[in-house]
Amino acid sequence: MVGRIIESLDCVAEGAAWLAASDVRFAGALGQVGALPLRRHADGFTALLDAIVGQQVSVASANAIWARMEAAGVVSLEGVQAATDEQLRAAGLSRQKARYAKALAASGIDFIGLRVMPDEVVIAELVAVPGIGRWTAEIYAMFALGRADVFAPGDLALQEGARLLFGLEARPTEKALRAMAEAWSPWRSVAARVLWAYYHVVKTREGIR
C-alpha cells in the first residue's frame, strides 16, 4: 500500500514536529535551520532525468548542466528521443549519462502507475532501468512522488549531516545510515530534509538540488 504523501508545507511541518518530539537532536537542528522546504516536483520523465543528472556531481555542477540541457531542449521525453548522443554530450552530459538518458527515454516507464505503487515496488521498477540506481530511485520517490517515509542513505550529504548532528566519529556507511533511519519512520523523508538543511547550515554548501 502507498503510505503518507507529502503534499504541502503543513505535511513537512507535521513530520518535523514528530521528529523533534522523538529526538532532541532533531529539535536542536530544526532550531538552527528554520522552516524546511517542501521539495516537491512534478513527477514524470523530466523529474527522473533531473535525478540522473544529479548523480555523483555537486549541486552547482548539476544546476549548470541542467541549464544547458534546458537551453538545448533536451529535458523532455521527446527532446531526448530526438537528440543524438553527440547533442546530449554537447548539452553537458557525460558519455555515460547520455546513454542513461537514452535508456530512460526508451524504458516505457508507467509514470502514472508509479503513483499508486508501494515504495519498494516503485524503487524496484526504477532500478530496472540502466543508469538508475537506488539513490536516484529514492530521490524520485521523495521529491516527485512525495513519499513521506523514503530515505536515501547512499547520499553523501545525508551521511555527513548525520555524522555532524549525531556526533559520530566517522561518516556512516549507507548500510549503517539506513539502519539509523529506521527510527525516523514514518517521516524518513522529512528527516532527510532536516539533515540536508543542517548540512547546508554547518558546511555552507548545498547538499541536494
Side-chain angles (χ1 to χ4, degrees):
M1 61 179 289
V2 176
R4 182 72 180 269
I5 302 296
I6 293 177
E7 309 222 1
S8 67
L9 285 171
D10 287 341
C11 299
V12 176
E14 180 184 346
W18 186 94
L19 291 164
S22 67
D23 192 315
V24 67
R25 290 164 295 191
F26 275 121
L30 286 162
Q32 292 185 59
V33 305
L36 299 173
L38 179 57
R39 291 197 184 281
R40 275 300 308 272
H41 311 312
D43 62 340
F45 176 87
T46 298
L48 193 49
L49 179 63
D50 180 77
I52 290 173
V53 170
Q55 292 172 353
Q56 298 179 324
V57 296
S58 69
V59 172
S61 294
N63 285 338
I65 293 168
W66 192 255
R68 290 173 62 183
M69 291 175 65
E70 285 184 318
V74 290
V75 297
S76 67
L77 172 61
E78 296 77 15
V80 172
Q81 286 176 330
T84 64
D85 287 351
E86 290 73 22
Q87 288 171 324
L88 292 174
R89 295 195 66 199
L93 290 179
S94 65
R95 186 183 303 276
Q96 186 177 54
K97 286 188 179 178
R99 187 168 68 251
Y100 293 165
K102 282 294 191 179
L104 176 61
S107 67
I109 292 174
D110 178 6
F111 288 104
I112 302 300
L114 290 179
R115 297 175 184 174
V116 296
M117 294 178 185
D119 297 340
E120 286 302 321
V121 177
V122 168
I123 291 167
E125 288 283 322
L126 295 181
V127 300
V129 179
I132 299 179
R134 190 170 180 97
W135 178 89
T136 303
E138 287 166 338
I139 293 298
Y140 182 85
M142 277 196 275
F143 295 163
L145 297 179
R147 302 300 172 90
D149 201 29
V150 172
F151 197 72
D155 186 273
L156 295 181
L158 290 183
Q159 293 173 6
E160 181 65 6
R163 183 189 71 80
L164 294 165
L165 181 59
F166 294 96
L168 306 177
E169 290 186 3
R171 184 183 295 167
T173 64
E174 179 175 352
K175 181 179 180 180
L177 186 54
R178 189 177 298 279
M180 283 180 63
E182 290 178 5
W184 310 330
S185 180
W187 291 106
R188 282 178 282 192
S189 290
V190 178
R193 287 165 169 81
V194 177
L195 292 174
W196 274 315
Y198 190 71
Y199 174 88
H200 173 66
V201 167
V202 175
K203 293 287 193 175
T204 62
R205 293 173 57 189
E206 292 291 346
I208 194 72
R209 292 185 70 199

